[in-house]
Amino acid sequence: METKSNDRLALQDAMVFLGAIASGTEQAIGESAGNISYLAGVNLGKKLSQGVPRTGEIDEALAATRRVLEQNDYLWLFEPFKTHDQKEMVRQGEEGLEVMLVFRDCMIRQSLFRFGHVQKGSLCNMMYGFFAGALQNIMGRESSLEIVHAGENACYKKLVVRNP
C-alpha cells in the first residue's frame, strides 16, 4: 500500500508542475493554449488506444477507455450517470449518442486545486482531446466532451459521440 501512496504523491507533484506550465502557457499565448492541449490529448488518446478492439457500443467503448486509462496509471476515474427522471443511460440526441459522465477522482482537477489554477482551462481541454482520440480509435466516430458542472469533488460532463 505504501508504494501506491508514494506513486500517487509523485504523480500529484508532477501534475502540480504541469499545472504551473499550463498556467504560464495560457498567459503567454492566450486562447490558443486550449487548442494546443486539446490536440495533444487527441494524439495521446489515439496512441494509447491503439490495438483496442473496435466497438459500436458506447458502454463497451467507455469500459475500454477506462481500461486504457488504468493501464497507463492515469487517475481519471469516471462513471456514466443518469438522473432519476432519465429512462436510459445513453440517449440519442440531435448530434449523436449522449451519455452523462461523473469524474470523481481526477488528477487534473486535484492538481489545479493544489496549484490554485482554475478549472476549464487547457489541462481540462487535454482530457477532452484524450476522449476524442480514444473514442475515434475505439468507435470510429468523432466525439466531444463538455463540462456541465465543474466542482471541487467531482465534475459532471456530457459526452456526445457523433452520428456516423
Side-chain angles (χ1 to χ4, degrees):
M1 189 61 98
E2 183 69 29
T3 302
K4 279 275 191 203
S5 178
N6 289 339
D7 289 348
R8 186 174 179 106
L9 287 174
L11 176 62
Q12 286 177 332
D13 287 343
M15 289 301 297
V16 169
F17 180 71
L18 187 56
I21 290 172
S23 176
T25 303
E26 290 169 6
Q27 290 175 6
I29 63 175
E31 290 183 28
S32 299
N35 295 334
I36 293 167
S37 295
Y38 177 82
L39 291 175
V42 169
N43 291 334
L44 182 64
K46 285 181 177 180
K47 179 182 176 185
L48 295 182
S49 64
Q50 285 178 346
V52 172
R54 278 197 161 204
T55 182
E57 299 298 320
I58 196 165
D59 56 335
E60 292 174 16
L62 289 173
T65 302
R66 185 178 297 108
R67 283 191 302 276
V68 166
L69 289 168
E70 289 171 357
Q71 289 166 356
N72 289 281
D73 296 321
Y74 291 128
L75 303 176
W76 285 333
L77 303 181
F78 67 91
E79 61 196 60
F81 182 84
K82 88 178 173 153
T83 58
H84 69 282
D85 58 340
Q86 241 180 284
K87 291 182 182 178
E88 302 292 327
M89 187 73 71
V90 178
R91 297 174 287 196
Q92 180 64 50
E94 285 183 28
E95 295 181 51
L97 297 174
E98 298 176 357
V99 63
M100 302 306 292
L101 301 175
V102 174
F103 289 77
R104 297 187 195 283
D105 190 8
C106 174
M107 64 184 182
I108 290 176
R109 183 179 63 249
Q110 291 168 356
S111 46
L112 292 175
F113 281 131
R114 197 164 173 196
F115 178 71
H117 193 60
V118 296
Q119 289 175 279
K120 301 183 182 182
S122 61
L123 286 180
C124 291
N125 283 347
M126 186 178 69
M127 182 198 307
Y128 310 154
F130 178 88
F131 269 79
L135 291 175
Q136 192 171 22
N137 272 357
I138 297 168
M139 294 187 78
R141 294 164 67 179
E142 299 290 322
S143 65
S144 64
L145 186 64
E146 73 177 70
I147 291 178
V148 175
H149 174 76
E152 292 180 22
N153 297 316
C155 290
Y156 187 53
K157 301 177 185 194
K158 179 169 80 169
L159 175 67
V160 177
V161 179
R162 294 204 173 40
N163 293 324

